[in-house]
Amino acid sequence: MTNNEYKKILKSKLSEKRYKHSLCVADEAVRLSLIFGGNIEKAYLAGLLHDIMKDASNEEQLQTFKKFGIILTNIEKSAPKLWHAMSGAVYVEKVLNISDLEILNAIRYHTTAKQNMSLLEKLIYLADLTAMDRDYNGVEEMRHAVSVNLEKAMHIGLAYTINDLATHGYPIHPDTIDAYNEVILEKNNTSAADSILFSS
Ligand SMILES: [Fe+2]
Ligand SMILES: [Fe+2]
């Protein structure tokens, strides 16, 4: 299938606003791939399709999980906002017949993030936060961070997400906590290594 054919399907499944957001994330994912040396075609396609199930009803998403044998954890059951990433990945795999695991996982983890993310997974996670159509409080800080350092941008993105969820009393997916802890531990190790280097 060509990107134009994917766009037609996307247009039929999403509101105009969400469709435009998908195009913005695809463009942003390509821009970040050029900076950080990622695969441009995969970045565009994953960005384009990342929210393909975002406008589907809860019912339709639950049906998708049932049809393809996906079992939700208790935290996932309690957080319908996370569903579109999981149902999107399985829809893209089973209905659109895209078998590229990197693309599927970039879609799957674009909302929660996780430990040990690939470059493509990070680029889609961040492109979703820094795309042109985004205008939340703090987006400029995110855009600046992402243009300087991928790990710093992940730290800010994850901290923002965790803070926002906790403030509103929502559960936090363990994958998000794992991703956050990994970034923090790596950062601390790097600064510990730096101080050893400078003190010797
Ligand atoms: Fe999303
Ligand atoms: Fe999105």
Side-chain angles (χ1 to χ4, degrees):
M1 235 186 253
T2 63
N3 282 347
N4 276 341
E5 287 168 315
Y6 289 129
K7 282 182 194 174
K8 264 187 204 159
I9 296 171
L10 209 57
K11 218 168 185 177
S12 73
K13 292 180 73 67
L14 296 178
S15 69
E16 187 62 24
K17 189 171 180 247
R18 186 77 56 197
Y19 176 69
K20 279 190 183 151
H21 166 70
S22 305
L23 296 181
C24 288
V25 172
D27 286 343
E28 177 70 354
V30 167
R31 192 182 75 82
L32 297 181
S33 285
L34 288 168
I35 299 175
F36 295 105
N39 181 309
I40 289 165
E41 285 78 24
K42 286 188 190 190
Y44 189 81
L45 191 52
L48 196 62
L49 299 175
H50 80 288
D51 270 346
I52 192 162
M53 290 293 274
K54 182 84 177 188
D55 288 342
S57 65
N58 286 353
E59 179 112 339
E60 189 186 336
Q61 294 191 72
L62 290 170
Q63 287 292 339
T64 306
F65 295 139
K66 199 170 169 195
K67 186 170 171 190
F68 298 113
I70 290 173
I71 295 161
L72 303 186
T73 64
N74 282 341
I75 285 188
E76 288 160 354
K77 274 183 206 158
S78 73
K81 278 189 172 185
L82 301 179
W83 294 358
H84 75 284
M86 305 170 72
S87 60
V90 76
Y91 181 91
V92 165
E93 181 186 6
K94 307 286 188 189
V95 182
L96 301 185
N97 290 318
I98 292 176
S99 56
D100 187 307
L101 264 185
E102 271 199 282
I103 293 177
L104 297 177
N105 281 333
I107 296 170
R108 168 70 180 79
Y109 295 103
H110 84 265
T111 312
T112 55
K114 72 173 180 72
Q115 210 169 16
N116 276 326
M117 290 172 91
S118 69
L119 177 62
L120 185 67
E121 286 161 6
K122 287 179 187 169
L123 295 183
I124 298 302
Y125 179 84
L126 293 170
D128 197 21
L129 295 176
T130 56
M132 281 287 284
D133 64 314
R134 293 295 204 188
D135 60 359
Y136 58 90
N137 234 339
V139 69
E140 287 311 326
E141 188 194 2
M142 269 309 296
R143 288 195 179 119
H144 176 70
V146 91
S147 66
V148 177
N149 180 315
L150 212 58
E151 299 314 314
K152 170 94 178 144
M154 287 302 298
H155 177 193
I156 295 174
L158 289 162
Y160 175 88
T161 304
I162 289 172
N163 187 28
D164 189 52
L165 290 169
T167 302
H168 291 96
Y170 293 126
I172 299 167
H173 196 286
D175 284 342
T176 309
I177 307 275
D178 287 345
Y180 174 81
N181 284 337
E182 184 183 59
V183 168
I184 294 301
L185 290 177
E186 269 169 26
K187 193 176 143 202
N188 291 348
N189 284 343
T190 310
S191 39
D194 281 350
S195 53
I196 289 167
L197 216 65
F198 286 118
S199 64
S200 62

